Amino acid sequence: MIVCRTKQEVFSLINESNRLNQALGLVPTMGSLHRGHLSLISEALQHNDIVWVTIFVNPTQFNNKEDLTNYPKNLENDLKLIKKISNSINVFHPSETEIYDGKPFLKKYDFNRLDLELEGKFRADHFNGVATIVAKLFKLFKPSNAYFGEKDYQQTQIINRLIDLEKIDLKVIICPTIREENGLALSSRNKLLSIKNKNKSSIIYKNLVFLQKSFNKNRNKLNLEKIKSEINFVDDFKIEYLEIVNNKSLQIELKFKENESYRAFICVNVNGVRLIDNILLN
Ligand code: AMP
């Protein structure tokens, strides 16, 4: 396993794999890896000649300083977990200076309103920050395939739009959400939950599955308010949003159409830890 800290080191290794015409799979992460990240890496290993995992806590996508400071970090363990999958994976773990030359900078994109819905309403400029770093990584690595989790579905749609805007030629692969046994979607931030609240978080996925069933029974008879109050009733739990939107535009529609797909998105704030999840309804 090679761990690079500079773009220069990456360049020289990538030149070599370009020369050999190898398919490169990229898995961008912020570290503190869990089984969700590892599933992306395993998927990338199956379909590429060479896999790069990037570990970088990107400051420009945090709209909240405290969230950035508290974000869990554990490089040593991350490297151990990656090595366990395969010794042939390369890791890029740059410093902030290496990426932003000492002045973190956020590029503003026109995402056709995709960035203003759901997470965008609660995290101003979050998706511009994500796009800024991901575009930098895409330009550096020129991957054939890039791997992202369905858990951050809104993010995957932003990335799809980003590659159109930046005219980057690659395939975005969306991998299924990996969950705890109780249904809670794995997230690095789950480490910040108390055991009690982690157990109680099963209510989130349980309700998403319930919503999926209800939608397929009768999509015009859904009661989102009832689900919201059930979750808000749990001590320490506060719903930020629960919305059903068009799976492509991510916009709320006044009336569901027969031949369109819809997805439910939820964010529950548990003592300052934001738990997000989503489910495809049809
Ligand atoms: P992060 O380190 O949180 O930026 O996540 C890096 C990548 O892992 C993103 O594409 C996420 O969507 C993906 N990811 C995070 N959690 C999960 C999960 N529970 N299942 C599958 N993918 C995930």
Side-chain angles (χ1 to χ4, degrees), residues 28-30 34 36-37 40 71 148-149 151-152 155 176-178 186:
T29 82
M30 295 204 295
H34 50 66
H37 298 112
L40 268 54
Y71 198 84
F148 295 89
K151 178 185 160 261
D152 300 286
Q155 173 171 281
T177 303
I178 306 296
L186 295 189

Side-chain angles (χ1 to χ4, degrees), residues 77 90 138:
N77 194 50
N90 293 338
F138 284 171

